[in-house]
Amino acid sequence: MTKPLSGSDIAQQIGDQFPDAVTDSNETAVFVRSEALLDVACFLKESLDLNYLNNITAVDYNDYFELTYLFTSLTSNHSIVIKTRCDERENPKVPSVVSLWQGADFQEREIYDLMGISFDGHPNMKRIFLWDGFQGYPLRKDFIIDVPGGGKATKQGVNDA
Amino acid sequence: MEIERPYVSSELDRVEGAEIDALMAASKEPYPDPVAWLHEELQRNVLLTSTEHVIDWGKRYSVWPVPLGLACCAFEMICAAASRYDLSRFGMEVMRFSPRQADLLLVAGTLTWKMAPALRRIYDQMAEPKWVVAMGACTVSGGAFRGSYSVVPGINLIVPVDVYIPGCPPRPEGLLHGLMELHRKVLADNLIKK
């Protein structure tokens, strides 16, 4: 069983290296500033031997987006969760980690496609599922769809006209 | 030496997106069933000449489907074609993967807007006479995904549909029943003034 590392312990290690990168930490996760994400990720990859990126996901909290990164070391058999916030809503940007983990490529494109967060430094930042010209970002909480043939859909469900 | 590339991928994306947007804008109203009046009329009075009857009999027992398995319904369709339910009893054992050799479009599964131009193209490539069966809740109305940003709420926005088979997914028996309903429709086909 993979051992989840304590976020507080790791926050300590990061804090020694990058003094103002960590904003918060608890047992399960470390919260870092998005500007420092790439440096922190690079540092952790080396020091904790995090050779595998399990997943990246984004959450819309209406006031801000939060990105969650789950990293695992397949050699040392431990894992860590890094979270970062993005307050911008019009044109949110976060540094890409494709340069460190190739597996981030499609996941970052998926987040860009459905949540509208753009990743700085991604080699091919374009939509992955939806077609070119699609209006809006469907996984955002404020997204509204016009259903062809009548009705409007929101996150609360479909209202057929 | 640099090889000249025949296309730029961003240009392909743009063309594909424009095609989907155009189809979406043009697909506001569902196609009505052209022969919705048929069953009612048939009950009132039927007049078929013997030649028509023989031709229709032939057509009926050689409906070659082109399967469009888009989601889980496809497995029920595969079951219906396998030995237990044996679609070949209806002269349908030849699943043609070329639309030009088929006269029944069997749409099984969720149709997304990104797939919709392909469905329309397959339909357009089929030769007359041709029929369309919508198998499963997603094809009939969008099903559980109605109101999603990416799913077509009913394939009758894209192509005219002859038989609707509800169910999520319909059992093979359901599909067979739908196909027998289609047979009834094929028999009466010549009544329609084209």
Side-chain angles (χ1 to χ4, degrees):
Chain A
M1 180 70 191
T2 307
K3 179 174 174 285
L5 296 174
S6 158
S8 316
D9 293 352
I10 303 301
Q12 196 79 46
Q13 290 182 30
I14 299 171
D16 293 343
Q17 201 78 15
F18 307 101
D20 51 355
V22 178
T23 54
D24 193 11
S25 68
N26 55 34
E27 271 312 290
T28 53
V30 186
F31 295 77
V32 300
R33 285 190 304 113
S34 65
E35 298 82 32
L37 177 72
L38 198 59
D39 289 337
V40 170
C42 192
F43 165 69
L44 289 180
K45 187 183 178 185
E46 294 299 319
S47 63
L48 296 175
D49 196 20
L50 300 173
N51 51 8
Y52 183 65
L53 169 69
N54 291 64
N55 60 52
I56 310 174
T57 184
V59 187
D60 184 0
Y61 285 103
N62 289 314
D63 299 330
Y64 58 90
F65 296 108
E66 191 169 83
L67 284 131
T68 307
Y69 295 75
L70 173 57
F71 299 115
T72 300
S73 169
L74 297 175
T75 43
S76 311
N77 204 17
H78 56 222
S79 67
I80 178 74
V81 175
I82 306 288
K83 294 187 180 185
T84 187
R85 277 187 187 182
C86 189
D87 293 312
E88 178 74 39
R89 201 163 180 89
E90 287 308 310
N91 188 19
K93 268 192 191 317
V94 173
S96 166
V97 295
V98 177
S99 51
L100 297 170
W101 293 273
Q102 283 257 298
D105 186 345
F106 280 11
Q107 300 195 38
E108 287 181 351
R109 277 179 68 189
E110 184 179 350
I111 293 168
Y112 170 68
D113 194 354
L114 303 176
M115 206 63 113
I117 301 169
S118 157
F119 289 84
D120 261 342
H122 191 286
N124 188 22
M125 194 80 265
K126 61 175 189 177
R127 284 187 182 276
I128 188 168
F129 293 128
L130 297 168
W131 55 97
D132 213 40
F134 186 90
Q135 295 297 312
Y137 302 102
L139 286 195
R140 286 194 183 182
K141 291 288 179 198
D142 51 8
F143 183 77
I144 298 172
I145 318 156
D146 276 317
V147 183
K152 280 207 190 303
T154 62
K155 292 289 171 209
Q156 279 72 45
V158 183
N159 292 313
D160 274 308
Chain B
M1 193 190 111
E2 199 173 276
I3 300 164
E4 195 183 330
R5 298 179 67 175
Y7 61 82
V8 189
S9 78
S10 62
E11 178 64 12
L12 275 187
D13 285 348
R14 198 191 58 72
V15 169
E16 182 198 50
E19 189 183 359
I20 292 168
D21 279 340
L23 183 68
M24 208 167 176
S27 309
K28 295 295 181 202
E29 289 296 319
Y31 286 95
D33 185 350
V35 286
W37 50 272
L38 202 62
H39 288 313
E40 195 189 333
E41 288 290 303
L42 270 180
Q43 278 162 5
R44 245 182 264 157
N45 55 32
V46 179
L47 186 67
L48 284 174
T49 66
S50 50
T51 321
E52 269 184 324
H53 183 79
V54 172
I55 292 171
D56 287 344
W57 179 84
K59 269 200 243 171
R60 182 162 79 116
Y61 286 117
S62 60
V63 176
W64 287 4
V66 50
L68 196 66
L70 298 172
C72 26
C73 279
F75 293 99
E76 298 298 309
M77 181 177 72
I78 293 163
C79 282
S83 54
R84 191 180 180 96
Y85 294 97
D86 196 10
L87 214 53
S88 58
R89 287 177 295 162
F90 303 94
M92 284 185 174
E93 71 271 36
V94 202
M95 290 265 185
R96 303 315 290 199
F97 288 91
S98 162
R100 294 177 202 283
Q101 299 169 347
D103 33 24
L104 170 64
L105 181 58
L106 200 47
V107 187
T110 319
L111 181 71
T112 58
W113 280 109
K114 213 171 179 181
M115 187 67 186
L119 170 68
R120 182 68 216 188
R121 183 173 303 168
I122 290 172
Y123 179 79
D124 287 341
Q125 283 176 345
M126 290 167 66
E128 290 279 353
K130 56 187 171 186
W131 298 276
V132 178
V133 166
M135 178 184 180
C138 292
T139 52
V140 172
S141 67
F145 307 107
R146 187 181 174 81
S148 155
Y149 51 88
S150 59
V151 173
V152 180
I155 64 163
N156 58 7
L157 289 172
I158 309 296
V159 293
V161 176
D162 289 290
V163 176
Y164 298 87
I165 307 171
C168 189
R171 285 184 56 86
E173 293 96 320
L175 177 60
L176 297 186
H177 176 72
L179 294 176
M180 280 149 74
E181 287 297 306
L182 180 76
H183 283 167
R184 285 178 55 198
K185 210 163 182 173
V186 173
L187 267 187
D189 198 30
N190 278 10
L191 287 171
I192 313 159
K193 305 283 180 288
K194 282 195 170 158

